[in-house]
């Protein structure tokens, strides 16, 4: 066995999305970083070996898609890839290559693939000195030494070997009084999965399962127990087995059993299922996974143990470093061997059931302390092995969320070394620097915005060539949304009938709201009455059905037989707060339809009452038809200095007048000249819906394609940067520093939208 020794500042073990983002973030912040990955490709569960497509908060909350490093990767993959996304099983090597390309392009980053950690060495009881990796098929053993280690192995292997306290299984209700906890604690975990993919051959093709495959005859096993084989292309997260096996030590037994079941499921779909056998006639089995994807195993105890109460109550943490928004998704122990599948699936993903209301969560903040090991001073965790209970893991475990935690861990580790602080000190003394670094790097935090003292733009005044006004939209309105769709599993038909209370957010750009009109139809010959309420909304995720002190209430009359009738509501409100949201709610009347708008107005979404007092996103994230008087100036240039890079408590977006031709420009002006050597931009796009909604070769129409950055130097405009063909939302441009009184971003073309638009502009003397 060849012996090697390598020394780094930070070593990240595990190359799934959490580990990959941790390593890239650490290296970008100047730390000499090594990423050790036991598989030949990066991406973990999302890779082409396992093919679990990344989910995140935007599956349930409009404008909640994860940004930062994971966003760069997913935007790049969609722009390059010819494949249409479906639930699981489709992933190809284009995704693997997007990750590999980023790793190769990242300075300070070294990586070793096909390298498994076999041992951990410690300097003392509270510090790791090295992890020992063995390179497959190379007869080589490498001692990876570092100052800080980040365990992103999923199973918490490094932490466990170092003697950290860990949990595995399900806490009982008596320990933390969590709503989803069972009465009695157990060793039960969610199971492992494999997936398969099929190909359309254009002609009938047979399939005969091997004798050792499972054989299914009972349709009720699938259609009455939450296992719906509805896509002949493959996938199926419910191909899952855990209990009675241990998801770590019995992984090979689980893999074999899953293979038997996967072949049996395809055999059922192909040869016996009355709902799919005709659809599957021309389809052939093309690929079947042999690396199980894990949902749950060890959870390492950290400086804080996050329980289900935190996402449910949206706890505000001083050390917030990421956010989540998936529901409390706890799969039934046993998976395919259990009486029914995951509860939400078993009840048909009903959006208004007691279980749905109990499980709907977020968006919520995630604290740094769950990423810092309690028992080892130089160890962090990111991914599904962080310090959470089983119930809380049900929401933080999805890959979009784990990627954010990874970026936070890598950033924290690098800044800790730079500042000479212990990891536990970073959660208090270093948290401002961590949060500001994450925000500058394109991430979003629910409760914190840009306060970077080095950002020169914060002292500037913003002006623009034009700005869009919010007038509303009708069913006949049309926007630039080509290629934007919805995750198929959430493609619930948009029922316009007012069977539930429904609310539409409206951004206030001035202190007046004279009138709001809504487009309604009445399918009966009699006049129908609809109660309407106008309420303040703290944010676009203010899901209170009845916030205190409504601004106004009325009853709207919809004439009998009216079709797409604009129903006005004279309000005459003044002294309103510009820069905030209100929400117009229409109360239930099933005889009346409130029509959806034909376009998406940025920052303007709707929700419906899923249970008494609690709302959730309506449809896939759409805008209802409404008109406002006077038009609201809610897309002004000052929004680029709000410190927030998505719709949240306001639109936070400069948007040019769509009636004015491009190019359009936005300018920052200072009273005194500033030395500027770096301009950083955040553009719109890739936010409203999650990754699954975006088609092949997708480039968000809202995102500027061609733009120029100019500086006003010595009384004349000087071109600093010319960018063409852009589709990324976060761009950082460095150039020879200039003494400028103004910086102008001139957008010559977008990827399809008629408006130029920007969320944020930052200016620095030099890049960090």
């Amino acid at each position: 066995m060849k012996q090697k020794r390598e020394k780094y500042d930070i070593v990240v073990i595990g190359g799934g999305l959490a580990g990959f983002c941790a390593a890239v973030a650490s290296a970008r912040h100047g730390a000499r970083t090594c990423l050790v990955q036991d598989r030949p490709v990066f991406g973990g569960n999302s890779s082409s070996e396992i093919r679990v497509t990344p989910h995140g908060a935007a599956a349930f909350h409009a404008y909640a898609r994860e940004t930062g490093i994971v966003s760069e990767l997913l935007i790049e993959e969609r722009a390059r890839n010819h494949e249409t996304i479906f639930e699981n099983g489709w992933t190809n090597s284009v995704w693997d290559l997007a990750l590999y390309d980023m790793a190769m392009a990242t300075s300070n980053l070294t990586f070793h693939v096909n390298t498994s950690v076999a041992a951990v060495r410690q300097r003392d009881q509270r510090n790791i000195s090295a992890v020992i990796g063995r390179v497959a098929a190379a007869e080589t053993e490498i001692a990876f030494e570092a100052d800080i280690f980040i365990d992103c192995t999923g199973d918490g292997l490094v932490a466990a070997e170092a003697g950290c306290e860990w949990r595995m299984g399900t806490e009982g209700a008596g320990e933390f009084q969590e709503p989803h906890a069972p009465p009695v604690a157990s060793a039960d975990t969610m199971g492992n999965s494999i997936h398969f993919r099929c190909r359309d051959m254009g002609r009938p093709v047979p399939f005969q399962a091997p004798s050792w495959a499972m054989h299914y005859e009972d349709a009720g096993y699938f259609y009455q127990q939450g296992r719906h084989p509805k896509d002949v292309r493959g996938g199926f997260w419910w191909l899952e087995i855990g209990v009675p096996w241990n998801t770590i030590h019995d992984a090979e037994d689980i893999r074999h059993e899953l293979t038997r079941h996967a072949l049996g499921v395809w055999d059922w779909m192909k040869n016996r299922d009355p709902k799919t056998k005709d659809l599957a006639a021309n389809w052939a089995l093309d690929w079947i996974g042999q690396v199980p994807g894990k949902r749950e195993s060890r959870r390492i105890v950290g400086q804080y143990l996050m329980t289900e109460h935190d996402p449910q109550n949206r706890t505000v943490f001083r050390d917030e470093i990421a956010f989540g928004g998936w529901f409390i998704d706890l799969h039934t122990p046993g998976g395919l061997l259990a009486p029914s599948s995951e509860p939400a699936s078993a009840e048909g993903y009903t959006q208004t059931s007691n279980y749905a209301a109990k499980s709907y969560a977020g968006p919520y903040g995630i604290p740094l302390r769950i990423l810092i090991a309690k028992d080892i001073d130089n160890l962090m965790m990111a991914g599904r092995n962080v310090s959470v209970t089983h119930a809380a893991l049900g929401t933080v475990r999805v890959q979009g969320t784990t990627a954010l935690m990874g970026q936070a861990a890598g950033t924290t580790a690098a800044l800790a070394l730079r500042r000479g602080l212990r990891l536990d000190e970073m959660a208090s003394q270093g948290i401002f620097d961590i949060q500001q670094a994450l925000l500058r790097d394109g991430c979003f935090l629910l409760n914190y915005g840009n306060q970077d003292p080095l950002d020169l733009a914060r002292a500037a005044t913003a002006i623009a060539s034009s700005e869009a006004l919010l007038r509303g939209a009708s069913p006949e309105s049309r926007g630039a949304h080509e290629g934007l769709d919805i995750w198929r599993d959430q493609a619930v038909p948009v029922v316009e009938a007012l069977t539930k209370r429904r609310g539409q957010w409206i951004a206030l750009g001035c202190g007046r709201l004279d009138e709001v009109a809504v487009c309604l139809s009445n399918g009966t010959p009699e006049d129908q009455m609809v109660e309407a309420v106008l309420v303040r909304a703290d944010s676009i995720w203010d899901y209170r059905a009845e916030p205190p002190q409504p601004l106004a209430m009325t009853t709207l009359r919809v004439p009998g037989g009216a079709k797409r009738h604009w129903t006005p509501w004279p309000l005459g409100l003044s002294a309103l707060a510009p820069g905030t949201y209100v929400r117009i709610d229409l109360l239930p009347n099933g005889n009346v339809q409130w029509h959806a708008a034909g376009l998406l107005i940025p920052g303007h979404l709707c929700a419906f009452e899923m249970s008494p007092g609690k709302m959730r996103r309506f449809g896939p994230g759409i805008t209802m038809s409404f008109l406002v008087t006077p038009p609201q100036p809610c897309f002004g240039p000052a929004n680029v200095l709000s410190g927030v890079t998505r719709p949240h408590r306001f639109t936070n977006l400069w948007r040019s007048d769509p009636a004015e031709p491009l190019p359009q420009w936005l300018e920052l002006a200072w009273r005194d000249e500033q030395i500027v050597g770096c301009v950083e931009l955040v553009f719109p796009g890739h936010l409203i819906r999650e990754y699954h909604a975006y088609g092949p070769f997708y480039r968000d129409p809202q995102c500027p394609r061609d733009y120029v950055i100019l500086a006003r130097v010595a009384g004349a405009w000087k071109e600093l940067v010319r960018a063409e063909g852009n589709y990324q939302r976060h761009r950082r441009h460095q150039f020879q520093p200039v003494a400028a009184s103004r910086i102008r971003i001139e957008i010559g073309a977008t990827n399809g939208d008629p408006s130029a638009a920007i969320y944020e502009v930052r200016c620095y003397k030099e890049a960090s």
Side-chain angles (χ1 to χ4, degrees):
M1 182 75 69
K2 182 178 180 180
Q3 305 288 328
K4 294 175 66 177
R5 174 177 170 269
E6 298 182 6
K7 178 69 171 73
Y8 299 94
D9 297 324
I10 296 167
V11 169
V12 179
I13 307 95
L17 288 188
F20 187 87
C21 292
V24 170
S26 167
R28 286 181 176 181
H29 280 279
R32 292 178 299 111
T33 304
C34 183
L35 176 58
V36 182
Q37 164 71 328
D38 64 352
R39 304 302 307 170
V41 292
F42 298 121
N45 281 346
S46 74
S47 74
S48 64
E49 287 192 315
I50 302 175
R51 304 191 182 188
V52 178
T53 48
H55 279 300
F60 297 95
H61 310 281
Y63 297 102
R65 185 163 157 185
E66 295 77 15
T67 50
I69 293 168
V70 69
S71 177
E72 294 176 44
L73 289 165
L74 294 174
I75 291 171
E76 189 64 39
E77 184 275 335
R78 283 292 80 196
R80 295 185 190 185
N81 208 334
H82 60 281
E83 285 277 14
T84 299
I85 301 170
F86 60 92
E87 173 61 318
N88 292 307
W90 73 271
T91 312
N92 61 16
S93 293
V94 176
W95 172 235
D96 296 338
L97 188 57
L99 291 152
Y100 203 89
D101 278 354
M102 180 178 284
M104 289 295 295
T106 301
S107 300
N108 302 315
L109 178 61
T110 300
F111 57 85
H112 289 270
V113 296
N114 293 310
T115 303
S116 301
V117 168
V120 174
R121 293 177 184 167
Q122 293 182 238
R123 281 197 299 272
D124 53 50
Q125 189 174 359
R126 294 197 60 88
N127 285 277
I128 297 171
S129 61
V131 295
I132 310 304
R134 289 181 180 166
V135 185
E139 297 182 9
T140 299
E141 188 173 87
I142 306 173
F144 297 102
E145 300 176 356
D147 298 310
I148 294 176
F149 296 84
I150 306 177
D151 185 341
C152 300
T153 60
D155 290 336
L157 171 64
V158 174
E161 289 293 309
C164 287
E165 179 184 352
W166 50 270
R167 290 174 173 240
M168 187 167 172
T170 302
E171 290 82 4
E175 187 169 7
F176 299 110
Q177 293 74 51
E178 295 173 297
H180 281 79
V184 179
S186 73
D188 291 352
T189 62
M190 292 178 280
N192 302 351
S193 285
I194 65 170
H195 305 292
F196 66 85
R197 174 182 177 145
C198 300
R199 184 175 298 277
D200 186 355
M201 303 305 296
R203 59 182 175 81
V205 288
F207 175 75
Q208 181 175 347
S211 60
W212 49 268
M214 287 294 295
H215 186 82
Y216 293 104
E217 290 286 354
D218 181 11
Y221 176 84
F222 297 98
Y223 294 104
Q224 295 174 22
Q225 298 180 21
R227 305 178 184 101
H228 300 283
K230 55 192 172 186
D231 196 329
V232 296
R233 294 175 295 180
F236 312 134
W237 56 265
W238 45 261
L239 287 169
E240 172 187 9
I241 294 176
V243 175
W245 288 282
N246 181 290
T247 54
I248 298 174
H249 302 300
D250 300 327
E252 274 301 296
D253 293 323
I254 293 173
R255 179 202 57 76
H256 174 68
E257 289 301 310
L258 284 169
T259 304
R260 296 178 63 227
H261 281 269
L263 290 168
V265 167
W266 178 240
D267 177 45
W268 160 259
M269 293 174 61
K270 180 81 172 170
N271 297 319
R272 285 179 298 285
D273 186 341
K275 293 188 177 182
T276 64
K277 66 180 182 180
D278 290 339
L279 296 173
N282 292 357
W283 289 76
L285 185 64
D286 185 62
W287 172 89
I288 185 167
Q290 288 297 282
V291 181
K294 293 182 183 177
R295 287 180 179 83
E296 181 178 12
S297 53
R298 296 187 190 96
R299 306 184 306 277
I300 311 306
V301 178
Q303 301 286 329
Y304 179 82
L305 182 67
M306 188 174 179
T307 71
E308 179 187 352
H309 299 295
D310 292 318
Q312 292 283 25
N313 298 329
R314 301 174 71 179
T315 304
V316 177
F317 296 103
R318 183 179 177 274
D319 60 332
E320 178 184 312
I321 44 75
F323 73 95
W326 192 257
F327 73 111
I328 309 295
D329 183 10
L330 297 170
H331 291 207
T332 306
L336 289 165
L337 308 182
S340 66
S341 188
E342 185 268 323
S345 176
E347 65 178 26
Y349 293 112
T350 303
Q351 294 189 338
T352 55
S353 70
N354 291 336
Y355 183 83
K358 174 184 173 183
S359 304
Y360 200 71
Y364 57 85
I366 296 172
L368 174 62
R369 286 165 292 157
I370 72 168
L371 311 183
I372 302 174
K374 173 176 68 70
D375 301 318
I376 297 292
D377 292 337
N378 65 339
L379 178 65
M380 300 187 74
M381 306 82 68
R384 60 180 173 83
N385 59 356
V386 295
S387 184
V388 296
T389 62
H390 169 79
L393 183 70
T395 173
V396 304
R397 66 182 173 81
V398 291
Q399 292 179 87
T401 308
T402 62
L404 295 182
M405 292 190 287
Q407 182 163 355
T411 301
T412 298
L415 295 184
L417 293 178
R418 187 186 304 171
R419 291 193 54 178
L421 293 175
R422 297 193 314 267
L423 291 173
D424 62 327
E425 293 174 326
M426 291 299 288
S428 54
Q429 300 176 44
I431 192 60
F432 177 82
D433 289 348
I434 295 167
Q435 290 167 340
Q436 294 306 309
L438 290 169
L439 292 168
R440 184 176 177 181
D441 291 340
C443 295
F444 168 72
L445 298 176
L446 278 159
N447 298 292
Y448 302 91
N450 177 17
Q451 299 179 45
D452 187 348
L454 299 179
D455 179 9
L456 304 172
R458 295 178 65 226
T461 300
I463 58 174
S465 54
S466 70
E467 67 178 87
L469 296 175
L470 174 68
R471 293 180 168 85
S474 74
E476 292 77 27
S477 302
R478 293 293 176 264
H481 311 306
E482 185 179 356
L484 181 65
D485 200 352
I486 181 61
W487 173 32
R488 184 166 172 172
D489 275 16
Q490 290 190 331
V492 178
V494 174
V495 178
E496 295 182 326
L498 281 167
T499 57
K500 301 282 185 181
R501 180 181 185 134
R502 191 182 311 156
Q504 169 65 51
W505 274 254
I506 298 173
L508 297 176
C510 65
R512 287 174 46 212
L513 193 57
D514 297 342
E515 181 179 279
V516 176
V518 288
C519 187
L520 308 175
S521 289
N522 176 1
T524 72
E526 298 83 19
D527 290 359
Q528 295 290 330
M529 312 306 287
V530 177
E531 294 181 59
V533 184
L534 190 74
V535 299
R536 294 181 177 88
D538 289 345
S539 75
I540 59 169
W541 302 312
D542 184 348
Y543 292 138
R544 297 173 296 171
E546 296 183 7
Q549 298 180 329
L551 294 167
M553 302 175 67
T554 194
T555 300
L556 303 176
R557 185 180 67 84
V558 189
K563 301 293 185 184
R564 296 195 173 185
H565 177 265
W566 283 100
T567 306
W569 181 7
L571 287 160
L573 293 174
S574 59
L576 297 173
T580 63
Y581 278 110
V582 295
R583 198 180 72 217
I584 178 172
D585 287 5
L586 301 188
L587 274 57
N589 181 337
N591 293 316
V592 174
Q593 295 83 46
W594 184 5
H595 297 293
L599 57 72
L600 303 174
I601 303 176
H604 289 76
L605 72 153
C606 59
F608 74 99
E609 190 168 20
M610 67 181 304
S611 65
K614 185 175 184 178
M615 302 187 84
R616 69 178 287 170
R617 182 186 66 186
F618 180 65
I622 60 176
T623 304
M624 301 308 297
S625 57
F626 72 95
L627 300 173
V628 291
T629 306
Q632 298 293 311
C634 62
F635 297 112
N639 285 337
V640 304
L641 305 176
S642 71
V644 182
T645 55
R646 69 178 67 203
H648 185 215
R649 303 190 191 282
F650 195 54
T651 62
N652 301 313
L653 178 69
W654 167 66
R655 195 164 185 253
S656 72
D657 184 346
E660 296 290 328
L662 298 175
Q664 295 285 312
W665 52 261
L666 179 135
E667 222 174 82
L668 299 184
W670 294 271
R671 181 175 298 177
D672 302 313
E673 286 187 341
Q674 305 290 322
I675 304 300
V676 181
C678 178
V679 172
E680 300 176 6
L681 304 168
V682 179
F683 296 132
H686 298 92
L687 284 178
I688 188 170
R689 298 176 189 166
E690 71 163 355
Y691 168 63
H692 293 64
Y694 301 88
F697 300 123
Y698 186 83
R699 301 184 179 202
D700 199 296
Q702 300 170 84
C703 187
R705 187 190 73 198
D706 304 331
Y707 59 92
V708 180
I709 302 176
L710 305 137
R712 192 73 173 174
V713 178
W717 287 106
K718 177 180 180 180
E719 182 177 310
L720 303 174
V721 173
R722 179 172 292 272
E724 296 180 344
N726 175 64
Y727 47 84
Q728 284 284 351
R729 73 181 303 272
H730 186 222
R731 297 297 306 271
R732 179 174 291 169
H733 295 287
Q734 298 173 243
F735 42 83
Q736 189 67 33
V738 295
S741 59
R742 294 172 181 258
I743 292 289
R744 174 181 286 186
I745 299 93
E746 184 176 281
I747 297 173
T750 70
N751 283 286
D753 195 282
S755 290
I758 303 174
Y759 275 118
E760 183 175 71
V761 181
R762 293 181 180 227
C763 298
Y764 293 89
K765 186 175 181 179
E766 56 189 7
S768 60

